[in-house]
Amino acid sequence: MGGLDDLYQQLILDHYRSRRGRGRIEGASASVHENNPVCGDECFLDILVEDGRIADIRADGDGCSISQAAASMLTEVARGKDLDEALDLVEHFRLMMHGDAEPDEDLLGDAVALEGVARYPVRVKCALLSWLALRDCIAEYRETTAMGGR
Amino acid sequence: MGGLDDLYQQLILDHYRSRRGRGRIEGASASVHENNPVCGDECFLDILVEDGRIADIRADGDGCSISQAAASMLTEVARGKDLDEALDLVEHFRLMMHGDAEPDEDLLGDAVALEGVARYPVRVKCALLSWLALRDCIAEYRETTAMGGR
Amino acid sequence: MGTSAHTALDARALRAEFPILAAPRPGGGQLHYLDSAATSQKPQRVLDAMDAYYREANANVHRGVYELAAEATERFEAGRDAVARLVNHPREATVLTKNATEAINLVAWAWGARELSDGDEVLVTMMEHHSNTVPWQLVAQMTGAVVRFCPVTPEGEIDMDAMRAMIGPRTRMVAVVHVSNTLGTINPVREIVAMAHEAGALTLVDATQSVPHMPVDAAAIGSDFLAFTGHKMCGPTGIGVLAATPERLRAMEPFLGGGEMISDVTTEGSTWNDIPWKFEAGTPPIAESVGLGEAVRFLEELGPDRIRAHERHLAQQMLDALDEVPGVTVFGPRQVERRGAAVSFSLDGVHPHDIGQFLDSKGVCVRAGHHCTKPLMRHLGVQSTARASAYLYTTEDDILALQSALAECRQWFGVA
Amino acid sequence: MGTSAHTALDARALRAEFPILAAPRPGGGQLHYLDSAATSQKPQRVLDAMDAYYREANANVHRGVYELAAEATERFEAGRDAVARLVNHPREATVLTKNATEAINLVAWAWGARELSDGDEVLVTMMEHHSNTVPWQLVAQMTGAVVRFCPVTPEGEIDMDAMRAMIGPRTRMVAVVHVSNTLGTINPVREIVAMAHEAGALTLVDATQSVPHMPVDAAAIGSDFLAFTGHKMCGPTGIGVLAATPERLRAMEPFLGGGEMISDVTTEGSTWNDIPWKFEAGTPPIAESVGLGEAVRFLEELGPDRIRAHERHLAQQMLDALDEVPGVTVFGPRQVERRGAAVSFSLDGVHPHDIGQFLDSKGVCVRAGHHCTKPLMRHLGVQSTARASAYLYTTEDDILALQSALAECRQWFGVA
Ligand SMILES: Cc1ncc(COP(=O)(O)O)c(C=O)c1O
Ligand SMILES: Cc1ncc(COP(=O)(O)O)c(C=O)c1O
C-alpha cells in the first residue's frame, strides 16, 4: 500500500482523530474564513494576539483528514510565536508543500509528518488551507491595528 | 488532369470569356444584390417583367469563371420564361447542384455544363449565386407588386 | 425487458476497445474507473478517427477551394450531422461549441444579456451544475434580472409543485438539468418545458448527463435549447453542442464575433452568416468534431436504449452494494427508473477526499467534492460527497471493487 | 546571418515528421501545402502526445483526488507552462481558450462590454482579421462605443501618422494585428503599444500569425493582451491562448461562467477562482493543451529565430518567383525584413477561386478569398486574392511548383 502509508502517517491520523486547538475564540484579535474551492471545505481561523505574540489560536470547520490534521498541528506549533516568526513558519510550510524546501522539524513540530502530501497536488490545498488562513489572519490583524482598530 | 476538365468544360470557359446578359437594367421591375461570403464575390441581378414574363434579365458583378458562366447561362435560359417557370428552373438547377436531380438539358440549356460543379462543394455556392438571386428577385417583385408597388 | 436489453451489452468485451481500460495498471490489476460523470474514457476508434483526420485531411474548413480543404470540411460537418441525428435535431440548428458550458453561456449572453431586463426572472433548480447557474447570475447582474432556485425534495427530485408555483409572468427562462450529475436524478423535462412554454418562458435543458447515457430526443423534449458536451460521451475534449430551435437561432444576435460567422464585414458594421455558422466564430474544433462523430456512431451501434438498460442495471447493483457497507448514506432517488448511474454517497467518519484517496490506492477512481453543485451541497447539508459513476464499459467487477475498497477504507480510518 | 541561420533548418528533412507531407499524394508527387496561414500541418509527435494522453491519463482535471486525475491535470497544466514560456509570459496570466477568436472576444466582453461607454473609441486597423474587428463592433453596438479603423499605406503597412493622430483622449483600446494574415506585414507593435499606453488606452495584439513564425516576447511587446491560436503553430484545433497582464486579469470580471472558474457559488451570488482559471469555465481543452505543449517543445527545439530566418528566405523566393509570372500583382511589403511568408497576389484575367482550383489540380494548395479581412479587401479595391503561405516545412520545391502551376494556369484560362 506504500504511497498511502506515506501520505497518511500515523501522526496525521492521530491529529485527525483527536484535534487540538479546535473551536473559535471569543473576542479574537483577528478572524478569517477560507474555503477550498476544490471540495468546498471551510476553515474558520481565529487568533488572539497579546504583546505581539499569538496567545491563542483556534481553527474550526470540517474537512478531510489532511486539512484537519494540518489545522491541528498548526495550532500547536503557532501558539506562542510572535507574528513574524509565525509568518516565517507558514512560509516554510508552504515551501515544503510545494517541494521547494527540506522540512525543518524543529520549526514545524508534528507538521513535518505532512511532508508526504507534497506528492499529491490536489491534497496540498487541503494541507495549506488553515496555514494560509493564518497568514491572512495576521495580515488582517496588522491592517486593523494600523487603522486604529480593536 | 481529369477532374479539372470535368469542372471547367469548354462551354463554361466560353461563357466566362464572353458573358451574355451582362449589365444592369434601367427601370428594372426588381433588383437584388447578393454576395458569396466565402470569397466576397458579388452579384447584382435585375429583371424586367412584362405580362408576367421575364422580358429582360441582366447580371452584373465580378466573380470566378464558374459564377460568371453560371450567370451568363442563367440570363440566356431565363429570358422569356414566366415567373413560375423561372422558379421551377432555379429549383431544378439547385437540385442538380446538390446532386439531387439528373440534369434536364431541355430545361437548362447550356447550364447543364455546370453539372460537374456539384462535386466541388465550395464552388457550388459560386454557381448558385446568380440563380438564387433570381429566386429572391422574383420574390421581391411579387412582394412589391402585391403591395401596389411599381 | 430491462434484463434482456441489458444482457445484450457486453461491457467486459467492450473494455477491450478502450485502451486505458484494457491496459493493466502499473501495480497490476485493472482500472476501476467510476468517474465517467466527470469525463468518459475514449474507444480506440475515436482516437483513430482524429488521428486519420490530422494525417490525411488536415486543413482549415469552409473557405478553401482545394480538395484537402473540401475533405476537411466534409469530415468536420459530418460530425455535426452525426450528433444532430443522435438527438433527432436539425443539423442547421446544431451549433458546435467548446463544451456544454460555452453552449449555455452562448444562450445567456446572446439571448439573456440582450433580452432580459430589470425584474425578469430566470428559474433554475437547486440541483443545477454551476455551468447552468453562474452564466445566469452573471447576466442577471448586468441586466437586473433575478435568478431563482427551485427547491429539491428530500428524495432528491425537483419539487414540481414549487416549480409550478415559481413559474410566473416574470419568468423569461426556465433552465433545468436533465439528469443530475450529483444525485443521478432523471428530471421530467418534457413536463417542465411544457409548463414553461405555457407561461411564455423559454427553456434550456442541460442534457450533459443524459445524452451519453440514454436515448434523448430533442424534438420530443421540445425545449428551445439543449446543451451537452463531447468528452462525456466517448468523444474528445474541446467540443460541446447547443441544439436550439432554428427560429430562435435565426432571431438571436450572435455571441462570439470573428471569422466564419459573418456574411459581410465593413467598417460601418457587419452582417451574419446562416445558422449554425453564425454562432461559430473562428476556427472550429475540427478534429474534435471528427472524433465526436465517430463517438456518436459508436454509441448508435451499441444503442442508447441498451446503454440505458445496462446502466439501470448497474445503478441497482451500485445501490445494493453501497447499502451493504455500514455507515454509507446514498443521496438521490432509490428507484433506478428515476435515476442514472451516478451515485453520490457519504461514509460516516471519513471525509470524501479521504475516501477518494483510499479508493485510488485500490485502483478505484471515484470523484470527491461538490461536483460543481455547491447550492445543492448546502441544500443537502454537506460540504462534499463521494460519487461513483458508471458508463457503458462499467462492469459488476468495478462495483464489487468499490464495495470492498469502501469496507477496507473504514478500517484504515478507524471507523470500522 | 540570415543565411547561416536559414541553412540550419532543414525543411526537407522536417517534412518526414509530418505524416500528411511525407505521404505521397493519391495522384503521385508530393503535397505542396502553401496554406499554413490558414492552419498548419501537425508533426507526428504532437498527435502521439494527445494519443498518449487519452490512452494513459485521460480524466477530468483539477478536482480529482485519484492519481489518474492528478496525472491528467499535470499534463494539461504543462501545456500552459510551455506556451507561457514560449512567449515569455507568466503562466498564471496565460488563459487557454478555444481559439484566438475566443481570446479576443473574452477581452471584448469581459472588459469592453462592462467598461466601454457612449463615445468611447476602440481603434483597430484596416488590416485586422474579422476576429479582431467583429467582437469590437458587437460590443460597440451594445455600449455606444465607436470602432475606428486606422488606414493602411499603399505599401500595405499601418499608416503610423494616422495612427498617432487617431489615438486620442476617447481611445480606450488599441487592438492591432502583429503580422497580417493577408499582407504578411510585420507591424511595429511595440511602438503602437507605447503610443497607446501613453494616451491611457489599453492594448491588444493579435499575435496569431507571429507566434508560430518568429520569436515573440510578450513582456517586450508590453501589451495588456496578446492573443494567438494553437492550430497555426503545429498544435491541434480547439485551443487558443490569451496572455494578459496579471493585474488586468485580476481586475476583470469573468467572461464565461460555469464549473472550474468559481471559488464559491451560492443562490445569492458567486465568487471567482484565481487567475487563470477564473477565465476557463467548464472542462478545458485538455488533450489540446497536451498537444499544444508538445508543439511548443517542437518549435523551441527548432528555434523560433531559425524558423523566422527560414521563412524570410522563403518569402524572398516567393516574391521572386511570383515576379516572374506575367500578370501577377503582389500585395503587401516587398522587403522581407518587414513581412512574413504569407503572400497575397492576383493574376490578371483569372479569378482567385479559379487560381486556387487550378493549382490544386497540380498538388499546390493556396487559399483564395477575402482571408477574413473584408475591410482590407475593399481598401485594396479587390474582392479577393490568392494567398500562398509558408511554414517551417515549406521548401523551395513548393515554391517552384507554385510558380510553374501559375504559368500553366494562365494558359488554361486563356490569358497567356
Ligand atoms: C491574424 C489572425 N487573427 C485571428 C485569427 C483567428 O484564429 P482562430 O480562427 O484560430 O480563432 C486568424 C486566423 O484565422 C488570423 O490569421
Ligand atoms: C450536468 C452538467 N452540466 C454541465 C456540465 C459542464 O460540462 P463541460 O465541463 O463539458 O462544459 C457538466 C459536467 O461537468 C455536467 O455534469
Side-chain angles (χ1 to χ4, degrees):
Chain A
M1 174 147 311
L4 211 59
D5 281 319
D6 213 40
L7 175 65
Y8 292 119
Q9 294 196 18
Q10 199 50 50
L11 211 50
I12 295 179
L13 294 176
D14 286 350
H15 272 269
Y16 174 49
R17 288 193 198 112
S18 54
R19 275 188 56 184
R20 335 277 148 90
R22 186 169 202 172
R24 307 294 306 257
I25 301 175
E26 285 276 334
S29 312
S31 303
V32 296
H33 170 214
E34 315 251 317
N35 81 80
N36 181 345
V38 178
C39 58
D41 284 351
E42 294 181 298
C43 172
F44 296 89
L45 193 89
D46 297 335
I47 55 174
L48 186 72
V49 182
E50 283 171 5
D51 301 331
R53 291 191 174 269
I54 297 178
D56 197 6
I57 170 169
R58 289 184 183 271
D60 214 349
D62 275 328
C64 65
S65 59
I66 303 294
S67 78
Q68 300 300 289
S72 173
M73 293 160 171
L74 169 71
T75 61
E76 276 198 346
V77 67
R79 184 171 292 117
K81 292 258 183 325
D82 80 24
L83 297 185
D84 284 329
E85 280 170 5
L87 287 177
D88 287 348
L89 176 68
V90 169
E91 182 57 13
H92 178 68
F93 184 75
R94 195 185 68 77
L95 290 173
M96 175 178 91
M97 279 297 114
H98 289 129
D100 296 331
E102 284 299 307
D104 176 344
E105 178 150 9
D106 290 343
L107 204 56
L108 293 173
D110 285 359
V112 286
L114 291 164
E115 188 189 359
V117 177
R119 273 189 298 286
Y120 297 83
V122 182
R123 308 306 296 275
V124 166
K125 290 202 179 104
C126 308
L128 282 174
L129 188 65
S130 54
W131 290 68
L132 296 183
L134 175 56
R135 191 177 65 182
D136 294 349
C137 209
I138 292 173
E140 200 206 276
Y141 170 77
R142 286 182 159 160
E143 217 166 278
T144 49
T145 50
M147 285 162 52
R150 34 185 179 173
Chain B
M1 175 148 308
L4 211 58
D5 282 317
D6 213 38
L7 175 64
Y8 292 120
Q9 294 196 18
Q10 199 50 49
L11 210 52
I12 296 179
L13 294 177
D14 287 349
H15 272 270
Y16 173 49
R17 288 190 200 116
S18 54
R19 274 188 57 184
R20 334 278 146 92
R22 186 168 202 173
R24 307 296 305 258
I25 301 176
E26 285 276 335
S29 313
S31 303
V32 297
H33 171 213
E34 314 253 315
N35 82 81
N36 181 345
V38 177
C39 56
D41 285 350
E42 294 181 297
C43 171
F44 297 88
L45 193 88
D46 297 337
I47 53 174
L48 187 72
V49 181
E50 283 172 5
D51 302 331
R53 293 191 173 269
I54 298 178
D56 197 8
I57 169 169
R58 290 183 182 272
D60 214 351
D62 275 328
C64 64
S65 59
I66 303 293
S67 79
Q68 300 301 289
S72 173
M73 292 161 172
L74 169 70
T75 60
E76 277 196 344
V77 67
R79 184 169 294 116
K81 292 256 182 327
D82 80 24
L83 298 185
D84 283 331
E85 280 170 5
L87 287 177
D88 287 349
L89 177 68
V90 169
E91 182 57 13
H92 177 69
F93 184 77
R94 196 186 67 79
L95 290 173
M96 176 178 90
M97 279 298 113
H98 290 128
D100 295 333
E102 284 299 309
D104 177 343
E105 179 152 11
D106 291 342
L107 205 56
L108 294 174
D110 285 0
V112 285
L114 292 164
E115 189 189 356
V117 177
R119 273 189 297 287
Y120 296 83
V122 183
R123 307 307 296 276
V124 166
K125 289 201 179 105
C126 308
L128 282 174
L129 188 64
S130 54
W131 290 67
L132 296 183
L134 175 56
R135 192 178 65 183
D136 293 350
C137 209
I138 292 173
E140 201 206 275
Y141 170 75
R142 288 185 158 159
E143 217 166 280
T144 49
T145 49
M147 284 162 54
R150 34 184 177 169
Chain C
M1 43 127 284
T3 319
S4 75
H6 153 64
T7 47
L9 195 68
D10 185 351
R12 196 163 289 154
L14 275 175
R15 292 173 74 92
E17 301 195 36
F18 291 77
I20 206 168
L21 301 176
R25 292 173 54 224
Q30 55 171 324
L31 182 68
H32 299 293
Y33 184 74
L34 289 170
D35 196 20
S36 292
T39 200
S40 71
Q41 296 303 338
K42 323 299 172 200
Q44 185 62 42
R45 56 191 277 184
V46 166
L47 308 184
D48 288 346
M50 292 193 285
D51 216 59
Y53 163 76
Y54 281 125
R55 296 171 62 102
E56 298 163 7
N58 176 64
N60 214 327
V61 292
H62 287 150
R63 288 166 307 231
V65 290
Y66 55 84
E67 214 175 304
L68 198 64
E71 176 69 26
T73 306
E74 199 174 307
R75 294 196 197 189
F76 167 67
E77 290 292 342
R80 186 196 313 276
D81 287 333
V83 82
R85 186 179 61 227
L86 180 72
V87 297
N88 188 29
H89 195 71
R91 63 161 268 121
E92 78 269 17
T94 303
V95 178
L96 300 177
T97 61
K98 72 172 174 175
N99 52 26
T101 302
E102 187 200 344
I104 298 171
N105 277 273
L106 192 167
V107 181
W109 286 94
W111 173 81
R114 285 191 173 81
E115 299 293 331
L116 291 172
S117 54
D118 210 38
D120 281 347
E121 294 176 6
V122 173
L123 182 58
V124 300
T125 80
M126 205 60 102
M127 67 169 88
E128 296 311 310
H129 190 278
H130 293 161
S131 293
N132 198 24
T133 305
V134 182
W136 302 113
Q137 290 181 327
L138 285 171
V139 165
Q141 182 203 319
M142 283 183 75
T143 58
V146 180
V147 181
R148 300 185 67 195
F149 289 77
C150 179
V152 167
T153 67
E155 291 71 41
E157 302 189 333
I158 292 177
D159 183 334
M160 290 297 284
D161 291 334
M163 169 77 73
R164 204 164 288 117
M166 290 174 87
I167 296 179
R170 294 310 310 258
T171 312
R172 300 290 311 279
M173 167 62 81
V174 178
V176 293
V177 69
H178 192 182
V179 174
S180 161
N181 65 309
T182 302
L183 298 171
T185 322
I186 302 175
N187 291 314
V189 285
R190 287 171 73 155
E191 199 179 329
I192 294 170
V193 165
M195 261 160 60
H197 282 173
E198 199 160 318
L202 296 186
T203 50
L204 180 147
V205 170
D206 175 358
T208 306
Q209 296 287 349
S210 54
V211 169
H213 300 285
M214 58 184 67
V216 172
D217 183 327
I221 291 173
S223 59
D224 299 277
F225 304 102
L226 187 92
F228 53 102
T229 208
H231 66 91
K232 298 194 206 260
M233 51 191 285
C234 295
T237 53
I239 190 163
V241 181
L242 179 69
T245 57
E247 311 77 59
R248 185 62 52 193
L249 280 187
R250 287 202 186 91
M252 264 159 56
E253 286 290 300
F255 173 43
L256 304 179
E260 199 70 57
M261 52 69 77
I262 58 95
S263 163
D264 196 9
V265 176
T266 74
T267 54
E268 306 309 311
S270 301
T271 52
W272 318 127
N273 200 344
D274 295 333
I275 64 167
W277 304 289
K278 175 177 159 188
F279 294 97
E280 297 180 355
T283 302
I286 306 173
E288 290 77 4
S289 176
V290 172
L292 182 56
E294 188 62 23
V296 167
R297 281 184 288 280
F298 176 67
L299 296 179
E300 284 175 335
E301 284 169 27
L302 294 177
D305 51 340
R306 289 165 69 211
I307 297 171
R308 167 64 186 144
H310 175 66
E311 291 189 26
R312 193 166 45 196
H313 186 78
L314 290 171
Q316 189 63 63
Q317 288 185 324
M318 198 117 79
L319 292 173
D320 293 345
L322 289 171
D323 281 347
E324 282 176 26
V325 182
V328 163
T329 306
V330 167
F331 301 98
R334 300 289 317 184
Q335 294 134 287
V336 292
E337 287 70 33
R338 313 177 78 149
R339 62 142 53 248
V343 181
S344 272
F345 61 92
S346 66
L347 178 60
D348 282 351
V350 188
H351 187 278
H353 258 186
D354 293 317
I355 298 175
Q357 194 86 56
F358 184 91
L359 262 48
D360 185 38
S361 73
K362 302 294 177 184
V364 178
C365 301
V366 301
R367 189 125 303 223
H370 50 64
H371 317 296
C372 297
T373 54
K374 289 197 80 169
L376 178 65
M377 292 289 117
R378 282 206 186 78
H379 191 74
L380 296 173
V382 296
Q383 262 158 4
S384 56
T385 71
R387 181 190 68 190
S389 57
Y391 201 15
L392 52 91
Y393 41 67
T394 305
T395 65
E396 198 167 343
D397 285 353
D398 295 327
I399 292 168
L400 293 175
L402 167 69
Q403 189 185 31
S404 72
L406 275 175
E408 284 185 71
C409 179
R410 296 183 70 233
Q411 305 218 300
W412 174 268
F413 287 102
V415 296
Chain D
M1 40 125 281
T3 319
S4 75
H6 153 65
T7 48
L9 195 68
D10 184 350
R12 195 162 291 156
L14 276 175
R15 292 174 73 93
E17 300 195 38
F18 291 77
I20 207 169
L21 301 176
R25 292 173 55 222
Q30 55 172 324
L31 182 69
H32 299 293
Y33 184 76
L34 289 170
D35 196 22
S36 291
T39 199
S40 72
Q41 296 304 337
K42 324 299 174 200
Q44 185 62 43
R45 57 192 276 186
V46 166
L47 308 185
D48 288 346
M50 292 193 285
D51 215 58
Y53 164 75
Y54 280 126
R55 296 171 62 101
E56 297 162 9
N58 177 64
N60 213 327
V61 292
H62 287 149
R63 290 166 307 230
V65 290
Y66 54 86
E67 214 175 304
L68 199 62
E71 177 68 26
T73 305
E74 199 174 307
R75 294 196 197 189
F76 167 68
E77 290 291 343
R80 187 195 311 278
D81 287 334
V83 82
R85 185 179 65 228
L86 180 72
V87 297
N88 188 28
H89 195 71
R91 63 160 268 122
E92 79 270 18
T94 303
V95 178
L96 300 178
T97 62
K98 70 172 174 177
N99 52 26
T101 302
E102 187 200 344
I104 298 171
N105 277 273
L106 192 167
V107 181
W109 287 95
W111 172 81
R114 285 191 173 81
E115 298 294 330
L116 289 172
S117 54
D118 210 38
D120 280 349
E121 295 176 5
V122 173
L123 182 58
V124 300
T125 80
M126 204 61 99
M127 68 167 88
E128 296 312 310
H129 190 278
H130 293 162
S131 292
N132 198 24
T133 305
V134 182
W136 301 114
Q137 290 180 328
L138 285 171
V139 164
Q141 180 203 322
M142 284 183 74
T143 58
V146 180
V147 182
R148 300 185 68 195
F149 289 76
C150 179
V152 167
T153 67
E155 292 71 42
E157 302 190 332
I158 293 177
D159 182 335
M160 290 296 285
D161 290 335
M163 170 79 72
R164 204 165 285 114
M166 290 174 88
I167 297 179
R170 294 308 309 258
T171 312
R172 300 289 310 280
M173 167 62 79
V174 177
V176 294
V177 68
H178 192 182
V179 174
S180 162
N181 63 309
T182 302
L183 298 172
T185 322
I186 302 174
N187 291 314
V189 286
R190 288 172 72 154
E191 199 179 328
I192 294 170
V193 164
M195 260 161 59
H197 282 173
E198 201 161 313
L202 295 187
T203 51
L204 180 146
V205 170
D206 174 0
T208 306
Q209 296 287 349
S210 55
V211 170
H213 300 284
M214 59 185 66
V216 172
D217 183 326
I221 292 174
S223 60
D224 300 276
F225 304 101
L226 187 91
F228 52 103
T229 208
H231 66 92
K232 298 193 206 260
M233 52 192 285
C234 296
T237 55
I239 189 164
V241 181
L242 179 69
T245 56
E247 311 77 57
R248 185 63 52 192
L249 280 186
R250 286 201 187 90
M252 261 157 58
E253 286 292 299
F255 173 41
L256 304 179
E260 196 71 57
M261 52 70 77
I262 58 96
S263 164
D264 196 8
V265 176
T266 75
T267 55
E268 307 308 312
S270 301
T271 52
W272 318 127
N273 199 342
D274 294 334
I275 63 167
W277 305 288
K278 174 178 159 188
F279 294 97
E280 297 181 355
T283 301
I286 307 173
E288 291 78 3
S289 175
V290 172
L292 182 57
E294 188 62 24
V296 166
R297 280 184 289 279
F298 176 68
L299 296 179
E300 284 174 335
E301 285 169 26
L302 294 177
D305 50 342
R306 288 165 68 211
I307 297 172
R308 168 66 186 141
H310 175 66
E311 291 189 26
R312 193 166 46 200
H313 185 77
L314 291 171
Q316 189 63 63
Q317 287 185 325
M318 197 117 77
L319 292 174
D320 293 345
L322 288 171
D323 280 346
E324 283 175 26
V325 182
V328 163
T329 306
V330 166
F331 302 98
R334 300 290 317 184
Q335 293 136 288
V336 294
E337 288 69 31
R338 312 177 79 147
R339 62 143 49 250
V343 181
S344 274
F345 60 93
S346 64
L347 178 59
D348 282 351
V350 188
H351 187 278
H353 258 186
D354 293 317
I355 299 175
Q357 194 85 54
F358 184 90
L359 263 48
D360 186 37
S361 73
K362 303 292 177 187
V364 178
C365 301
V366 301
R367 189 126 303 225
H370 50 64
H371 317 296
C372 297
T373 54
K374 288 198 79 169
L376 177 65
M377 292 289 117
R378 282 205 187 78
H379 191 74
L380 296 173
V382 297
Q383 261 159 5
S384 56
T385 72
R387 180 189 69 191
S389 57
Y391 202 15
L392 52 91
Y393 41 66
T394 304
T395 64
E396 198 168 340
D397 285 353
D398 295 326
I399 292 168
L400 293 176
L402 166 69
Q403 188 184 33
S404 71
L406 274 176
E408 284 185 70
C409 179
R410 295 183 71 234
Q411 304 217 297
W412 173 268
F413 286 101
V415 295

